[in-house]
Amino acid sequence: MSGQTHEQAGELCRLSVSQALNGMAQGDFTAVALTQALLERTGEMDGEIHAYLARTPEMALAQAAAADAARAAGESSPLLGVPVAIKDVLVTEGVETTAGSRILRGFVPPYTATAVKRLRQAGAVILGKTNTDEFAMGSSTESSAYGPTRNPWKLDRVPGGSSGGSAAAVAGEMALAALGTDTGGSVRQPASFCGVVGLKPSYGRVSRYGLIAYGSSLDQIGPITKTVEDAARLLNVMAGPDVWDSTSLPMPVPDYTQALTGDIRGLRVGVPKSYLGEGIEPDVRAGVEAALAQMARLGAEIVPIELAHTDKALPVYYLVATAEASANLSRFDGIRFGPSAGADSLLENFRQTRGQGFGDEVKRRIMLGTYALSAGYYDAYYLKAQQVRTLIKQDWERAFRQVDVIAGPTSPTTAFGFGEKMNDPLAMFLADIFTVSLNLVGMCGISVPCGFDRAGLPIGLQLCGPSLGEETILRAAHAYEQSADWHLRKPSFQP
Amino acid sequence: MKLTPETVEHVAELAKLALSPEEIARFAEQLSEILDYAEQIQSIDTQSVDPTPYVLPLRSVMAEDEVRPSLPNPQATANAADAGDGFFRVRAIFDEGSGS
């Protein structure tokens, strides 16, 4: 259709969002050619990677053709003709949305999530829905009911999770960018494992309308991209208040790309001692320390700080998140959506539909949350966790009076092997040890590539900012990224 | 904190989850381990600390109570396992006796 060679198509797939927008603006190629190239590459690669749960090629090509027509008519919009992938916990009208669960098999939503709608209004092309841990509960994408996703850097490693499909799609050059969701690190950790950029906005910055809820006080939607600039471009479009989400913040949305000055002289970068201590792989520590040294060379001031309750964030997170999940997932009862077990009584039908429809990790978290909320345990677990959450929040607020950003590894390890942690839920939880705090305190964070371990697997640097501090963390991440060039390395796996 | 299989069964009833005997035994062990880990927050003094259920200082706002277009009924019920006449159809909630 586009008459391009395989090599030309490969070059299109390699582009960043910014490069693609430039190329289309200059008439070098069309949105249809770009979309076609990505669809073809996905067809060749995704049998191995399994980043996508559903592909929507006809719809994508129609949207791309409409984008080309709009551009030809002189229209412009911020993401006109940019092909993206959407994590399958965001509802999309007319396109099956499963949240990686059997209990939603066949569910075709009657409406579209606000974040996705805003991407479409900005001209983006939707390539399909990406794989996720079931209901976004997991750190490896292994708990998807539809099979795991593989890491494009090394096929015997997990891509991280829960937005592992989105991270693998971007790293594997099967989408220029993707949306993920982050309840305890599910955008940042897979971005780190796959060598791409992942941004978790502040709580309330992006509307959660149409996000299938996991932990409602923690969930945020964020972009997974090849560059920091691309993350800023997607956030520009998605951020801002929404009448359909009463927790979306009314504050005005700046042009985040304007924050990317490349200048971080005088930026105070706080490094919690506990973030580079025990339990961190030596290569990860070395990579992060080198990145901090590089930021210092760029003029940032590295400041050792204390976050007193750091070690309590994980237990607090797993009580709060599962309590909220147990309430949120009560809606899956076999009546309004998803398959029904067809049992004789209403109660038995609830029990069997849920018993058959939910996987292991989801059941475990519903059980934990139900227990923490149940009579006799509420004060000791749920209320206590909410009180410690207050102390953690105070730690972070205090720290941000002293520094501008807080830095450390995104994950204590690089991508681990399949099955390594699946039988040990607690070990899987520990993969989130550096990411959960931000969700508890509602602040923002970004993971940016900062090197490779001895096995050739990517390492991520996490930069955290206060609530609505997106401009600062984007500026810091961009300055570091541009001075380091890790983001230009690509996985060697080819179809 | 050792969860007994009986406690796990009770929680599964609250959560409306049909679990196999194998799942009950396994969850008893795994949930006990997770709760042991969570136990570490008990040592923190939180006597005068307010809980944080939500991080935003947002307050409820009032809106005019006006009729606006909503999801059409056929679309709202389209994904149901069993629907008809604009309703979701479910099994009777009260037992009317056998054979009725």
Side-chain angles (χ1 to χ4, degrees), chain A residues 106-108 110 203 216-217 246-247 249 311-312 314-315 319 334-338 340 343-344 346-347 350-351 354-355 358 360 363-364 366-368 370-371 380-381 383-384 386-391 424 426 440-442, chain B residues 1 3 7-8 11-19 23 26-27 30-31 33-35 37-47 49-56 58 71 75-76 79-82 88 90-93:
Chain A
F107 172 59
V108 181
Y203 186 79
S216 300
S217 79
S246 59
T247 63
L249 288 166
D311 61 331
K312 302 298 184 289
L314 206 55
L319 292 169
I335 293 178
R336 287 157 298 166
F337 20 67
S340 167
D344 285 340
L346 185 65
L347 182 62
F350 289 159
R351 295 179 69 254
R354 290 162 62 78
F358 289 135
D360 228 38
K363 284 180 190 169
R364 200 158 35 233
I366 290 174
M367 294 285 291
L368 183 60
T370 304
Y371 181 77
Y381 289 111
L383 184 66
K384 185 79 180 182
Q386 300 283 30
Q387 288 173 311
V388 180
R389 185 182 189 181
T390 302
L391 297 175
D424 187 349
L426 209 48
L440 289 171
V441 302
Chain B
M1 188 82 199
L3 285 193
T7 308
V8 172
V11 174
E13 269 322 296
L14 294 175
K16 305 286 178 282
L17 280 174
L19 298 182
E23 285 177 311
R26 189 157 43 84
F27 286 168
Q30 291 174 333
L31 293 173
E33 197 188 329
I34 295 168
L35 287 168
Y37 176 72
E39 208 57 37
Q40 57 178 298
I41 66 170
Q42 303 303 338
S43 62
I44 303 170
D45 180 8
T46 52
Q47 210 158 25
V49 180
D50 288 330
T52 298
Y54 259 86
V55 293
L56 298 181
L58 292 179
L71 202 59
Q75 273 171 264
N79 280 286
D82 193 5
F88 297 106
V90 298
R91 294 277 173 182
I93 292 172

Side-chain angles (χ1 to χ4, degrees), chain A residues 323-367:
Chain A
E324 294 184 10
S326 72
N328 275 324
L329 271 61
S330 65
R331 63 171 61 87
F332 301 103
D333 56 9
I335 293 178
R336 287 157 298 166
F337 20 67
S340 167
D344 285 340
S345 77
L346 185 65
L347 182 62
E348 197 49 32
N349 200 45
F350 289 159
R351 295 179 69 254
Q352 289 188 15
T353 297
R354 290 162 62 78
Q356 294 163 12
F358 289 135
D360 228 38
E361 184 61 26
V362 173
K363 284 180 190 169
R364 200 158 35 233
R365 294 197 194 191
I366 290 174
M367 294 285 291

Side-chain angles (χ1 to χ4, degrees), chain A residues 20-33:
Chain A
L21 285 166
N22 283 339
M24 288 186 285
Q26 288 167 10
D28 295 344
F29 51 86
T30 62
V32 167

Side-chain angles (χ1 to χ4, degrees), chain A residues 109-169:
Chain A
Y111 70 106
T112 296
T114 297
V116 178
K117 197 175 249 182
R118 287 183 178 173
L119 291 185
R120 281 287 301 130
Q121 283 164 350
V125 169
I126 310 295
L127 295 166
K129 307 297 291 288
T130 55
N131 201 6
T132 166
D133 279 297
E134 185 177 4
F135 286 103
M137 297 181 187
S139 308
S140 66
T141 318
E142 289 170 285
S143 82
S144 168
Y146 303 100
T149 298
R150 294 172 193 233
N151 191 317
W153 287 93
K154 221 164 181 278
L155 296 182
D156 62 351
R157 303 299 176 112
V158 302
S162 63
S163 310
S166 286

